[in-house]
Amino acid sequence: MLRTARDLVYRVLYRGTGRWCPVCEQPSRRFRPFGVDERRDEAMCVHCGALERHRLLWLFFNRMTKLFAGSRGSTGFLHVAPERCFEPRLRKRLGAGYLTADLEDPGADVRMDVTRIEYPDASFDVVYCSHVLEHVPDDRRALREFHRVLRRDGWAIILVPITVAATVEDPTETDPKERLRRFGQDDHFRRYGPDFLDRLRAAGFNVRVVGVAEVASSAEASLMGLTQASGEIYYCTKR
């Protein structure tokens, strides 16, 4: 209830038209600040909670894929660790073909360890996993599993926070304080660099890297708060 009341206060304080969120299609005077390692101004939509990367990805789904072109239930979509801003909208648009999965969240459709996915080969048309693999000790095995359950003509969006020049990791580190110091959060096993692309390719994916400029005009990027914090989209297909 407190969260609801706080959200309502923010919506009143941020009422206006200076910004627009493509996820919930709502205007606001500005976006809310947000950040874990570093607090960012103009980051979070006051209505749906979408961050910079979510707003970019939603535009990508609509403008550069055929995700919403088919009939409801026709696309097998695996959504790992579903975000609150996406889950109800994807479920409404995709219908019975939409499946959420998480190792710990009881609200997900299925309990899933991404290093041991209990679905047959080529089960899904789309796999989407964002900001999860830094929490997984054996991320390479998870990537191989995503590749295995993806259909031959399917595609995947697999994103991680890129925070260093080259990936640093230690899956054997068990001290939460050391993980916090070394990797930014006490439940992280690594910090990723741009060489994450090498891991995607080693798992068998072709990868197309898509930036803000390919998805939105400069005017749209300003209106929607698509900044450097939006990152890049890794669009993965099978070789």
Side-chain angles (χ1 to χ4, degrees), residues 197-214:
L197 290 173
D198 297 333
R199 299 191 185 211
L200 290 170
R201 290 167 179 145
F205 290 112
N206 287 322
V207 186
R208 178 184 174 187
V209 181
V210 180
V212 171
E214 291 186 64

Side-chain angles (χ1 to χ4, degrees), residues 4-16:
T4 301
R6 185 173 64 243
D7 287 347
L8 287 173
V9 169
Y10 271 115
R11 291 179 188 182
V12 171
L13 291 176
Y14 285 70
R15 183 177 294 156

Side-chain angles (χ1 to χ4, degrees), residues 152-233:
R152 184 176 179 180
D153 58 349
W155 50 274
I157 302 293
I158 305 172
L159 306 178
V160 298
I162 305 297
T163 59
V164 290
T167 300
V168 291
E169 64 183 329
D170 186 356
T172 66
E173 180 60 72
T174 59
D175 184 349
K177 291 183 179 178
E178 276 299 294
R179 286 190 192 172
L180 177 63
R181 182 184 69 82
R182 297 173 63 185
F183 308 129
Q185 285 187 210
D186 59 12
D187 57 351
H188 284 190
F189 290 97
R190 64 189 63 80
R191 284 184 183 270
Y192 285 106
D195 55 342
F196 175 64
L197 290 173
D198 297 333
R199 299 191 185 211
L200 290 170
R201 290 167 179 145
F205 290 112
N206 287 322
V207 186
R208 178 184 174 187
V209 181
V210 180
V212 171
E214 291 186 64
V215 183
S217 69
S218 58
E220 288 175 324
S222 178
L223 180 66
M224 300 177 195
L226 305 180
T227 65
Q228 186 176 357
S230 301
E232 294 175 314
I233 294 170

Side-chain angles (χ1 to χ4, degrees), residues 17-23 26 31 42 52 55-56 58-60 62-64 211-227 230:
T17 57
R19 294 286 182 265
W20 189 78
C21 175
V23 180
Q26 293 289 326
F31 294 124
E42 299 272 0
E52 302 97 332
R55 298 193 291 271
L56 175 62
W58 195 255
L59 281 181
F60 177 84
N62 279 278
R63 296 181 175 183
M64 300 186 70
V212 171
E214 291 186 64
V215 183
S217 69
S218 58
E220 288 175 324
S222 178
L223 180 66
M224 300 177 195
L226 305 180
T227 65
S230 301

Side-chain angles (χ1 to χ4, degrees), residues 51-225:
L51 298 173
E52 302 97 332
R53 67 178 183 271
H54 300 130
R55 298 193 291 271
L56 175 62
L57 185 58
W58 195 255
L59 281 181
F60 177 84
F61 283 157
N62 279 278
R63 296 181 175 183
M64 300 186 70
T65 77
K66 297 181 179 179
L67 179 61
F68 302 133
S71 58
R72 288 182 84 251
S74 64
T75 300
F77 189 110
L78 174 62
H79 189 173
V80 179
E83 301 96 328
R84 186 176 66 171
C85 64
F86 278 169
E87 189 271 338
R89 293 170 175 85
L90 286 171
R91 193 177 297 280
K92 182 178 180 179
R93 298 286 290 270
L94 300 177
Y98 178 68
L99 181 75
T100 62
D102 197 282
L103 184 60
E104 299 177 353
D105 183 2
D109 295 326
V110 297
R111 186 175 187 272
M112 179 181 288
D113 177 350
V114 292
T115 65
R116 296 178 177 85
I117 299 177
E118 296 180 357
Y119 283 85
D121 295 358
S123 291
F124 300 99
D125 299 295
V126 180
V127 173
Y128 168 49
C129 176
S130 177
H131 289 225
V132 171
L133 294 179
E134 62 273 19
H135 301 270
V136 178
D138 191 350
D139 64 333
R140 295 179 188 272
R141 180 169 179 171
L143 289 172
R144 292 194 297 271
E145 281 290 273
F146 291 150
H147 185 274
R148 180 183 66 79
V149 299
L150 187 66
R151 290 178 181 147
R152 184 176 179 180
D153 58 349
W155 50 274
I157 302 293
I158 305 172
L159 306 178
V160 298
I162 305 297
T163 59
V164 290
T167 300
V168 291
E169 64 183 329
D170 186 356
T172 66
E173 180 60 72
T174 59
D175 184 349
K177 291 183 179 178
E178 276 299 294
R179 286 190 192 172
L180 177 63
R181 182 184 69 82
R182 297 173 63 185
F183 308 129
Q185 285 187 210
D186 59 12
D187 57 351
H188 284 190
F189 290 97
R190 64 189 63 80
R191 284 184 183 270
Y192 285 106
D195 55 342
F196 175 64
L197 290 173
D198 297 333
R199 299 191 185 211
L200 290 170
R201 290 167 179 145
F205 290 112
N206 287 322
V207 186
R208 178 184 174 187
V209 181
V210 180
V212 171
E214 291 186 64
V215 183
S217 69
S218 58
E220 288 175 324
S222 178
L223 180 66
M224 300 177 195

